[in-house]
Amino acid sequence: MSDVTHLEALCEAVLAVAGEPVAVEALVAVAGEGVTPALVAEALDRLAERCRAPGRGLVLERVAGGWRLATRPELEGAIRAFAGERARSRLSQAALETLAIVAYRQPVTLPEINFLRGVSSAAVVRTLLERRLVRVAGRKPVVGTPLLYRTTRAFLVHFGLDDLAGLPAPSEVGMEDAEEGVVGP
Amino acid sequence: MSDVTHLEALCEAVLAVAGEPVAVEALVAVAGEGVTPALVAEALDRLAERCRAPGRGLVLERVAGGWRLATRPELEGAIRAFAGERARSRLSQAALETLAIVAYRQPVTLPEINFLRGVSSAAVVRTLLERRLVRVAGRKPVVGTPLLYRTTRAFLVHFGLDDLAGLPAPSEVGMEDAEEGVVGP
Amino acid sequence: MDPAGLATAEASPRPAVVLPAFEGPLDLLLHLVRSKAMSIWDIPIAEICDQYHAALAAMDEPDLEVAGEYLVYAAWLTAIKSRSLLPRHEGERDPRSELVERLLEYHKVKAAATELASIEEVRRGMTAVRIDPALTPLAESGEELGDIDVARLAAALVDVLQRFRRDHPPHLDLPPLRFSVRAKILELYELIERQRSFPLLSHLLTRPDRLESVTLFVAGLELVRLQVSRVHQRLPFAEIYLTPTGVPLREEALGDV
């Protein structure tokens, strides 16, 4: 068995038990001596390619700075039926708005979120903390030293982002549209 | 995509998240109408066959109660290395609790930590010392002069705090405050 | 139930809301500007205030905090309007520009939220693969230190303290008994013998001391057990009558009570 073939099997096995994204460096570390990051990258490429074949139920995706195996989104119905779950609840509009503010403006404080949304968002932030989609990242050195919030690794996984740079650019989310549509003469 | 191809993907996805052996009947039940046990058996055969290809890290096994996906036994070394590596970079629930006690109650002794947690925490404190999250800060002038522990500079850096006054009261992060009524030993 | 409103209608048994739900005064204002194609530079304050009023009236339960948010906005809009009517000094900003900026910023937030929602729509169908290793099960090894923040630390402290309190309940203070069952049995016996049909419930309810009522009730049960008295109650919660059976009460039968 060639090195890369063995490495591919190793990556698949490790990722399958990890249950979360694993960094290339971590795979290099467990692969043993003489294995370079380039070799691991090649093995991961092959693994991703193989997962794309018809009849496969898994996808290999790059999220949160690592690689993760997950089930194909099309198979959601079967997975849910098996687990006996109802449809997973989506995030509410309030949660999505708050998350968008934290994501694009981090680090950000609760008063800043309240100001931008025009409503008190304390309860929403608390729920996002519980769901581990945002985290506390220190305090802002202003009057009242409010807590600062940032998004988490779980946020990146939830939205399939490799890092924050992968967030859709503001222009992609209709800023020009806003200028034209909203602003009158 | 043929029925069996789709079914193969479905079986792989369900087995990959099931966490326990899955009976053929359970797969038939989630596969939807018109799918027979024979068809599922064929899909499982194909899945098993495909897992035997070089470069695959998973095996499909028949065990009591049904079928399960597991890692290839030869890769156990890598899996164990990965598990060990991961344990080193993680904090157990016990360690998190102990760190919380040191952070909020410092300076604090090991007997005081044991008293609050209700279990011996010596090993956990040692781990936190090794991880440089807590440090020894003198001895308490009581019988036995136990060592006093405090959090470190690295602790503050990790949590983004300037000083210990920045630690939030539980109520500030949406936890009901459990302080009242709890006394030290 | 869901104070933060994170779950959607899908997870809630309530019927879908007919009115479009607004996240607050800013959201409603943005909606009005867009749907009525009104100029952002010339927002009719009176109409907006009417709409705010309608939104508040449509709420199931008036919420002071939410009402306050609408009021603050109404006041702010009124202030902008009145300032924009005054002549401006040279170089002074148009008082309406802050409103325009806020609406634009909020519009961006909503657009980003929509974007996140569409990503989530696809991704929530995916589940992380988690299979068992062939031989040694993978121990649950806690969490990545990098994923732990002070909120988790505070939560861990609360866990410890709650568990501590559960394992160390406060001591029960047992005050000495102020009434003896034996004395109450004798007292009740006399009352029953005298009245033939004694209303126990009324008697219990008029005792000033709850402990005395409890002791009397136990004494009543003792009399029934000793077959000195019968008990009648016609309906649940109705009066309880004790009547003598004719069997005399012998003090030695009381034993240790």
Side-chain angles (χ1 to χ4, degrees):
Chain A
M1 205 188 283
S2 87
D3 275 3
V4 175
T5 310
H6 172 75
L7 208 49
E8 188 187 341
L10 184 147
C11 288
E12 186 179 40
V14 169
L15 292 179
V17 298
E20 60 174 13
V22 178
V24 169
E25 300 77 57
L27 291 168
V28 172
V30 300
E33 290 202 10
V35 173
T36 61
L39 217 51
V40 169
E42 194 187 332
L44 288 166
D45 271 350
R46 292 199 189 186
L47 181 57
E49 179 59 37
R50 208 197 284 241
C51 282
R52 279 191 285 269
R56 289 302 305 268
L58 311 182
V59 285
L60 178 66
E61 56 173 9
R62 181 157 178 92
V63 284
W67 293 87
R68 176 178 97 133
L69 277 174
T71 57
R72 305 201 88 83
E74 314 87 86
L75 297 166
E76 180 187 10
I79 302 277
R80 273 213 315 262
F82 178 78
E85 297 173 28
R86 297 200 308 152
R88 276 166 228 172
S89 65
R90 294 183 200 98
L91 290 168
S92 70
Q93 181 65 21
L96 287 166
E97 287 183 10
T98 305
L99 209 43
I101 291 170
V102 177
Y104 282 92
R105 299 190 173 236
Q106 54 191 305
V108 69
T109 67
L110 179 60
E112 288 160 0
I113 297 169
N114 291 343
F115 179 80
L116 279 164
R117 292 192 61 228
V119 284
S120 167
S121 307
V124 187
V125 168
R126 193 175 313 143
T127 317
L128 291 173
L129 270 177
E130 274 163 26
R131 288 192 60 164
R132 314 266 165 91
L133 291 169
V134 307
R135 64 187 168 93
V136 176
R139 290 182 184 273
K140 189 164 182 167
V142 295
V143 178
T145 58
L147 294 172
L148 286 164
Y149 297 97
R150 286 186 178 277
T151 51
T152 59
R153 215 156 63 100
F155 165 84
L156 294 175
V157 174
H158 191 86
F159 290 101
L161 303 169
D162 194 20
D163 52 33
L164 289 171
L167 280 169
S171 60
E172 286 172 42
V173 296
M175 196 162 100
E176 294 80 8
D177 168 57
E179 300 277 357
E180 288 158 23
V182 173
V183 185
Chain B
M1 205 188 283
S2 87
D3 274 2
V4 176
T5 311
H6 173 77
L7 207 50
E8 188 187 341
L10 186 149
C11 290
E12 184 180 40
V14 169
L15 292 172
V17 299
E20 56 183 12
V22 180
V24 171
E25 299 77 56
L27 291 167
V28 173
V30 300
E33 289 200 13
V35 173
T36 60
L39 217 52
V40 168
E42 192 186 335
L44 286 169
D45 272 350
R46 290 199 190 188
L47 181 56
E49 177 58 37
R50 209 199 285 241
C51 283
R52 279 192 284 271
R56 288 303 303 271
L58 309 182
V59 286
L60 181 65
E61 305 177 323
R62 190 172 173 99
V63 290
W67 296 85
R68 72 161 196 164
L69 275 175
T71 55
R72 208 164 263 296
E74 311 89 271
L75 295 165
E76 196 61 14
I79 300 288
R80 219 170 298 159
F82 172 73
E85 204 59 54
R86 186 151 86 162
R88 267 189 290 284
S89 68
R90 292 190 163 211
L91 226 45
S92 66
Q93 180 63 24
L96 182 60
E97 287 181 1
T98 306
L99 185 58
I101 293 170
V102 177
Y104 281 90
R105 295 295 175 90
Q106 57 189 294
V108 68
T109 66
L110 180 59
E112 286 161 358
I113 296 169
N114 291 344
F115 178 74
L116 274 175
R117 290 196 60 229
V119 284
S120 169
S121 308
V124 184
V125 169
R126 197 175 322 125
T127 311
L128 293 174
L129 283 168
E130 278 164 18
R131 305 280 295 265
R132 305 272 161 87
L133 291 167
V134 308
R135 64 189 167 89
V136 174
R139 289 184 177 273
K140 190 164 183 171
V142 294
V143 178
T145 60
L147 292 171
L148 284 164
Y149 297 100
R150 284 186 174 279
T151 52
T152 59
R153 179 88 214 132
F155 168 88
L156 290 177
V157 171
H158 174 80
F159 288 102
L161 300 171
D162 288 336
D163 49 42
L164 290 170
L167 277 172
S171 58
E172 200 179 354
V173 286
M175 304 297 304
E176 81 172 273
D177 227 316
E179 285 287 341
E180 28 140 2
V182 175
V183 284
Chain C
M1 260 193 20
D2 183 26
L6 275 173
T8 51
E10 205 173 344
S12 135
R14 292 178 57 184
V17 185
V18 184
L19 282 168
F22 293 106
E23 292 296 325
L26 197 53
D27 195 20
L28 178 51
L29 185 56
L30 185 64
H31 171 78
L32 291 173
V33 167
R34 307 200 77 185
S35 66
K36 305 212 166 192
M38 53 177 68
S39 161
I40 202 168
W41 295 101
D42 196 18
I43 291 171
I45 302 295
E47 186 178 340
I48 298 293
C49 291
D50 280 351
Q51 294 281 353
Y52 279 2
H53 186 255
L56 285 179
M59 283 169 51
D60 295 345
E61 284 167 45
D63 179 326
L64 268 186
E65 191 183 6
V66 174
E69 283 159 355
Y70 278 91
L71 276 179
V72 166
Y73 259 78
W76 183 54
L77 290 175
T78 314
I80 289 173
K81 186 74 176 182
S82 51
R83 268 189 287 140
S84 67
L85 295 175
L86 297 172
R88 245 176 300 154
H89 299 293
E90 195 153 339
E92 201 181 328
R93 279 181 88 205
D94 187 327
R96 293 167 302 181
S97 54
E98 193 193 337
L99 173 61
V100 173
E101 280 161 22
R102 266 210 218 183
L103 278 174
L104 274 176
E105 280 305 319
Y106 186 59
H107 179 81
K108 272 197 272 178
V109 167
K110 281 183 79 78
T114 306
E115 187 79 10
L116 290 180
S118 64
I119 300 174
E120 192 192 27
E121 192 55 35
V122 175
R123 294 197 50 86
R124 73 198 181 103
M126 301 167 78
T127 307
V129 169
R130 191 78 201 260
I131 71 166
D132 290 330
L135 307 171
T136 32
L138 207 59
E140 273 311 322
S141 47
E143 257 181 287
E144 229 29 79
L145 181 59
D147 291 342
I148 297 171
D149 66 353
V150 283
R152 302 292 317 291
L153 212 53
L157 182 74
V158 169
D159 282 351
V160 170
L161 297 183
Q162 278 175 350
R163 199 173 56 221
F164 180 88
R165 263 194 307 199
R166 206 174 47 237
D167 296 347
H168 300 77
H171 296 290
L172 271 180
D173 277 331
L174 292 176
L177 287 176
R178 280 171 288 138
F179 302 95
S180 94
V181 177
R182 173 185 281 267
K184 288 294 167 194
I185 289 175
L186 296 171
E187 188 182 315
L188 262 187
Y189 179 63
E190 248 183 66
L191 288 166
I192 295 168
E193 284 295 307
R194 190 152 14 112
Q195 301 192 11
R196 309 306 295 173
S197 180
F198 178 72
L200 179 64
L201 192 57
S202 314
H203 187 65
L204 293 181
L205 293 175
T206 53
R207 296 303 91 193
D209 189 311
R210 195 189 306 185
L211 207 57
E212 187 184 356
S213 300
V214 172
T215 316
L216 268 168
F217 187 72
V218 173
L221 293 178
E222 279 296 317
L223 286 175
V224 174
R225 186 179 69 83
L226 296 169
Q227 300 180 354
V228 172
S229 169
R230 262 190 294 271
V231 62
H232 307 277
Q233 187 181 32
R234 288 190 40 223
L235 294 166
F237 306 109
E239 184 58 81
I240 299 168
Y241 289 100
L242 294 179
T243 52
T245 55
V247 177
L249 178 67
R250 292 177 302 116
E251 279 212 43
E252 50 290 10
L254 292 182
D256 291 342
V257 298

